[in-house]
Amino acid sequence: MNNSTIAIYPGSFDPITLGHLDIITRGSNMFDSVIVAVLSNPSKQPLFTVEKRIEQIKQCTINLSNVEVDSFAGLTVEYAKMRGAKILLRGLRVLSDFEKELQMAHTNKTLSEDIETIFLATAKEYSFLSSSVVKEIAQFGGEISHLVPTDIVDDIYSYYNK
Ligand code: ADP
């Protein structure tokens, strides 16, 4: 029987930031494998397509051999079950995250008793950082190289210059 511990790190990652990458890296040291799962959400108008986000995350995590990147639609717990994962990994930055994340974790518990949500506290240097912050700065051509992985800086600027 396979007893490896698989964690799913679900999110929009539109785009991936250094805060996300920090959670992925730390998760990859804690679990046998981490699946970064890009949520395909038709009700949101994203900057990058799901395919592009997958490609970007793969580029940034190429050195993490136990990290896989995938996408899913629908309920996270159903995706986790399908992938044989019992852990959902999420990051916490500020109090407002806590409220939203706790509600989501409790909701997921009502849907699947044996899936646990595990929270990692953000690295203190990234506690202010979100994909929205990156987009707000990039649209005006501001500096983002300290906020996102080097590999995707040009992708983001090209989006706004096209
Ligand atoms: P979602 O739309 O599901 O919130 P995000 O891509 O915004 O997707 O975030 C995915 C997860 O990563 C969430 O748990 C979020 O709290 C966490 N996260 C986002 N930014 C950071 C950061 N700077 N530090 C730590 N965790 C973060």
Side-chain angles (χ1 to χ4, degrees):
M1 197 172 107
N2 185 356
N3 279 326
S4 67
T5 313
I6 305 167
I8 306 280
Y9 181 36
S12 309
F13 307 105
D14 187 38
I16 183 171
T17 69
L18 290 177
H20 293 131
L21 188 56
D22 175 66
I23 299 287
I24 296 168
T25 307
R26 287 157 63 201
S28 76
N29 290 326
M30 295 168 64
F31 305 107
D32 294 313
S33 62
V34 173
I35 301 172
V36 182
V38 179
L39 173 65
S40 170
N41 184 350
S43 66
K44 271 194 187 173
Q45 184 57 49
L47 195 64
F48 294 113
T49 63
V50 168
E51 293 72 29
K52 184 71 185 168
R53 280 179 267 162
I54 290 179
E55 185 191 312
Q56 291 170 333
I57 302 167
K58 278 187 177 165
Q59 245 183 313
C60 308
T61 56
I62 200 151
N63 295 324
L64 301 171
S65 58
N66 61 343
V67 171
E68 182 193 324
V69 190
D70 192 11
S71 66
F72 74 106
L75 294 175
T76 311
V77 289
E78 292 304 326
Y79 174 73
K81 276 186 213 163
M82 196 258 290
R83 296 304 311 262
K86 293 222 162 113
I87 291 169
L88 300 179
L89 182 61
R90 298 285 287 177
L92 284 179
R93 287 160 295 185
V94 287
L95 206 56
S96 52
D97 272 355
F98 181 80
E99 271 189 37
K100 190 181 65 164
E101 293 288 343
L102 194 65
Q103 188 183 28
M104 210 165 5
H106 285 160
T107 305
N108 283 335
K109 264 283 174 202
T110 68
L111 297 173
S112 180
E113 184 60 40
D114 40 311
I115 293 183
E116 293 291 349
T117 303
I118 291 187
F119 299 107
L120 283 184
T122 181
K124 59 187 180 311
E125 62 270 39
Y126 301 133
S127 60
F128 68 94
L129 182 54
S130 65
S131 300
S132 313
V133 162
V134 172
K135 289 183 260 199
E136 276 164 30
I137 299 173
Q139 67 180 312
F140 301 114
E143 188 59 56
I144 55 166
S145 59
H146 57 308
L147 306 178
V148 299
T150 317
D151 292 316
I152 71 160
V153 169
D154 288 344
D155 265 359
I156 299 171
Y157 286 134
S158 341
Y159 176 86
Y160 289 107
N161 289 329
K162 70 179 181 220

